[in-house]
Every structure is written in C-alpha cells, then in structure tokens.
Amino acid sequence: MKHVISVTVENKPGVLARISSMFARRGFNIHSLTVGPTEDPRLSRMTVVVDGPEMEQIVKQLYKLVHTVKVTELDPTETVEREIMLVRVNAEASRRGELLDAANLFSAKVVDVGASTVTFEVAGEPSALNDFLELMRTYGITSLVKSGRIAMAKDLKTTTKRSRLRTA
Amino acid sequence: MAETLTGAQALIRALEHAEVDVVFGVPGGAILPAYDPILDSPIRHVLARHEQGAGHMASGYAHATGKVGVCVATSGPGATNLITPLQDAYMDSVPVVAITGQVATRAIGMDAFQEAHTWGISMPCTKHNYLVTRVDELPDVIAEAFHLAATGRPGPVLVDIPKDILNATMTWHRPGEIDLPGYKPSVKGHPKQVKAAVEMIHRSQRPVLYAGGGIIKAEASEALRHFAEQANVPVVTTLMARGAIPDSHPLALGMPGMHGNYTAITAMQRSDLLITIGARFDDRVTGDVATFAPDAKVIHVDVDPAEIGKVREANVPIVGDARTVLEQLIETMSSLLDGAEPPEREPWFSQLAAWQEEHPLTYHQDPDGPIQQQYVIEQLHRLTRGDAIVVAGVGQHQMWASQFWGFERPRTWINSGGLGTMGYAVPAAIGAKVGMPDETVFAIDGDGCFQMTSQELITAAIDGIPVKIAVMNNTSLGMVRQWQKLFYGERYSAVDLTDHTPDYVKLAEAMGCVGLRAETPAEVVPTLEKALAINDRPVVVEFKCDPEAMVFPMIPAGGSNDHVVLGPEDLA
C-alpha cells in the first residue's frame, strides 16, 4: 500500500541527501520524492510516496533528523494530489487524428511533434495520468518522464468536519 | 570591543566556551591552522597515534565523565579513520564531537590531496554533522554541535571545517541562542501514560525492570534503585547498563541476553510486564523476537520516540528522559500506594531465587591448569574491592568481565556494546583515565583486540596516563574460535594468534609501559598486586589463559531465549 507524506524541512544544503540516505540505510522504499521551496524561504517541503507497512517508523525516523520540522501523513480522501508527466508516443500519420482525439479526452497538451511521434504534457491526479498511459500504450510509448507526486491537505476549515489529518 | 580572530582561533575559543578541557587528536595538513592557537589555550591536547584511537579516547572520556568527548583529525584519511569510533558512539549513544579539517573550499570536489567527502561519509554514523561554509558561523555551529551531542538521545556530531575557513578572519561573537526548529527532545513523560504505567506495574504479578544504557546516560541510577524498591520489582541491567543498579542489590538480577545469566534471561522470558527504560530490544537481548517474552506487556520509556515500537510493540509508550520519567513514576506510585506496601509478589521472587540457586554463573579454576579469565576478573575485583573503572574490548573477555565483575555504581563499565568494536579497550581506557584521573582504570582486553590498537600505549606512556591493561592471552580470536568449536565442527579457520608473538611484556616495555606476565593461576594475584601498586606509569599485564574456555550461558544467534545453553552438553 502506498502512503503519501508531506515533510517540511529546513531549507539547508544537503537536506535532501540526509532524507534519502535515511531511507536507504533503514531499508525504506521510496516510490517518488519531490522537493521544492515553500511560502517561507527558510523551509522546503517534500512530498514522499512510500511503499510498505513501516509508516510509523518512517515518520519517527524522519522526525529524528535534526532538519525535519514537521511530518504529516496525508489521508488520500482529504488531500489534493497532482503529478505532471511528459509522454512521447508513436504517431504515424495514419493514426495521428485518432491519437489526438484520445488525448483531448484527458486534456493532454501537445508539446512536441516529430516525424513519427507526438509528445504530450499531462497534469492531474495520479490515477488520471495512469489511465492516460494505459490508453497510450496501444500506440506505443517511446519515452516517459514523471515529476513525482506533490500533495497538499485540503483546507477543511470551511466545513464543519474536523480535520482528520494524522500527524505523528 | 570587537575582536578579530582567525577561524582557527574562533574554533578554539568556541571549544573553550563549551567548557572543553581536553581534546584527543592527530594533526595534519588541513587541520593545521587549528593546532597553532591550541598552544595558547588551557585545553589539553592528547596526541593519539591513530585517529581511531583519538575517537575511542573521546568516547571513553564521555562514558566515564558524562561530559562530551572531543576528537580532532585532519581531512581525508584522518577523517575516515574516525568513522569507526563515530559509528561506535552512534550505536551506544555516546556524546562525542569530532572536529575534522577539510581541504580548502575551492578544492572541494576536485579530488584534492587528502580530500574525502567527510560530510557524506559521516552522515549515517552521526546524530548530525556540519560542513562549515562561512567563518562567521563557527561559534554557533560549535555550540549547536555540543548541544546536539549532549541533549536528547546523546550521540556523535561531526564538524568539518575547510582550511580556508580556519585561515579566514572574523569578528568574534559569543554563540547566540540555539535555534533548531526541528529539534525539541521531550524530557517529561505524558502524565496520563505515567499513570497508566504505574497502575499496570502495581497489578503485575511477574514484572521485570529492563534497564538499558539510557539509565546511565540520564544519570538515573539513583531514581532507578528508588523506584525498583518502591514498586518491588526486580531489575535486569543490559550490557550498556551494568552498574545502573548495584549488582549486590537484592533486586538486581544481572545481565540478560546472549551471554546473560539464566535468571535474567528467564525472568524476562516469563515476565508478564517488561518495564523498559532506556533500552531498545537489541537482538543480543531478545534473541528470536517472535518468541521473546511471549506473555509480557511492555511499558517502554525512551527519549528517542523512534525506539518505541521499533522492535516490540509497546502497550504503554512514554517518550521522555529516563531520570525525569522515573521521578514521575516514583511520585505517581507514591500517591497510588498512599503509604501502603507494594505487592509482595511472593511466588515470583521465590521463582527467581530458585533459578538463581539452580543456575548461577560458574567456572572452575584448576590450580594446576591454565588460567581462567573469570578467575582473573574475580581476583581483580577482590583486590580493588570493585572500586575501579573497567573497560573492555569485544569478545569472550568482555562477556566474562560483564558477568563476573560486580558493578556497584554507574560509569564504571565502559565497553563497545552496539557496534562491537574490537580494539576499543586501550584507547577508551586512556580517555576514561584522562577524565577521571583519581580512579583506577583497568582495561580487560583480549589478545586479538589488544593487537588492533596497542599503538596507543605510547600515548598513555608519553602523556602520563597511567592506565592498567590486562591482556587475556588465549592465543586466539576467542569468541570466533568458540563459534567454530560449537557450530563449525571444530574446524578452526583464521583464529590462531600464537602464544609467543608478540612478546607482550617486551611490547609494553618498548612502548614505555611496565610489562608483567602471569603464566599460572598461582601467579595471578601477586601479579595483579604488582600492577595495582604502580601508579606512575601505564602497566600491561599478560595472563596466559585457557584457549579452550567458552562463554556460557549462551543463546545461539537467532535462537529463542526459551533455550538457554548452559554448557556445550546442551548443544549436543
């Protein structure tokens, strides 16, 4: 089962190395990891998708790193998740129209056209990206790059429902 | 008035500010600038003969004093030689600060002379580490390093300083407030959890207090003894916790684990409640985890939340400092008991006494046979009245020292528990003696261990550090030999060290120490007396020991603690 954790860290040199080294030496499996600046220049935020059952240990070991400020395991039902990918697909002239129709259904954007390929940019929910890939496989994918997932907890303050974010 | 200092001067000033009185080190090119201002500082520098020695000295010093031990090395090989002591200190939660020189900032990444990626190499074996990039940050980085090493779960911290930073100038400023938004160790246990723990302890029929090295680190021995008496609970002390409660105390059961005594192992195994404080369910304690203490509920007190639930699920987790939580437990237990006596637990204590009676730790010293190491340890204990700091290497001698030395106070047992670093004893004993010059510091070492770090005898002799070292010469890598004897059909592979080379007496003398030797059991006591009478120089005493002797009890690796092997016949 995949879990999504949001890790707020101090924006210091080497912090990504510290996090990835900890995952490696403790034998935790990273599915994807993205990192970038936040609204506060002193902090960076990582979205880590992990595989496996050791969530409690992963959260605790993350907290043990001196530069980790906050770790939140995100509940998929109360989280906005996005991913972007670039996918290059075989597109012989005879099938190009059909291919572009299919891409349209997913709001995939054409970003490059070659002699016999088309490259799409697709952004959205990770599951939608996977659906698009399934469809594209029938044409033949020649190249694929994914950004890794970013995620943010929904702002539930406007509703009466209490936030059920599990924080360690 | 603003004072302009070089980075090197600021480093030494910052160390003085951290109340450092001694550093253990070896100079070299990149750290050279720091070795000039050290001449003008009250800080003592002990010149080790190898950086590994410097690192273990810092660790021995920290173990003995409770203060942060400091070691210094140059870039490249100097820094990589520190890696073993850093990992050792990491595994055993020893507060150490390592200062390493680094090639100049512009040379980093250029494969410069004596360059190594110290920051990256040391990351997984330190609690935290730094590469200093601006001279101005030196005072704060050093202050943070000491804060991190000493607080929470203690551990090693490394500060890597490029040579150009040491040579640059800055306006000295005292370190500011420590600002680490991601580092806030919990000290006090949650009162609700403490209350739940006390109620569980009070109801328990067969409780065991499982005391780990955290008790020693947190200076919680007094509180531990008080609580054990108040709640009427027997106490096992792990290899890292020997001395946490006096071995002579009626509630003390001694050491559990792979080479623990039968009663300590079996008490945990049959317990209905393990009150775990500052211990981490190490594989050497639990044996096969699936069959470990099957009926026991677990209260787990640790300053490091990641230890709780890592190996064994805790019914009552309590994050906090061992002493603070023990004091909370005492207070809460007082109000629960409200003047009444704690439960007698008569069947449990009778059972424990019966096991102790039935399966004591034993050995036999044949007066005409070879020397048994246990005999040397017992006689040394008798002659010193146990009033010494004992430092061990790793292997058979270490297990016998832990089994047969009666520890009466904390910080009198120094050894490499987690990493199991052979060669630890000689340098760690030197560090301990530097920290506690008025104590008798006696290393109990094996011949294999001794040969790994014996060059530090010179350090002891030249720097006037009169440690005593017993070399238990069983002419072999004894623990490995024991396993080959028991589990590999006596096919001895690469364990023979010979009984004549080196000549330990001559070696000791060549290194500026006194060399003594005992070859027969009758010579043990007179030789120990001689060694104890020499206090102006280091002494090395070789004991010609029985190569066939084996450490028992034993739980074979991965075996269940249900099956304590009391002697070779149990393995047949």
Side-chain angles (χ1 to χ4, degrees), chain A residues 14 18 57 60 64 66-68, chain B residues 119 129 182 304-306 308 310:
Chain A
R18 288 184 198 279
Q57 261 300 302
K60 285 174 167 177
K64 214 167 142 168
V66 168
H67 287 158
T68 304
Chain B
W119 183 84
N129 63 359
D304 177 0
I308 299 175
K310 185 181 83 176

Side-chain angles (χ1 to χ4, degrees), chain B residues 370-373 396 400 473-474 544-550:
Chain B
I371 296 171
Q372 300 301 321
Q373 298 188 29
Q396 289 183 313
W400 280 318
N473 179 9
N474 60 2
K544 295 266 192 197
C545 295
D546 183 2
E548 295 299 330
M550 292 192 283

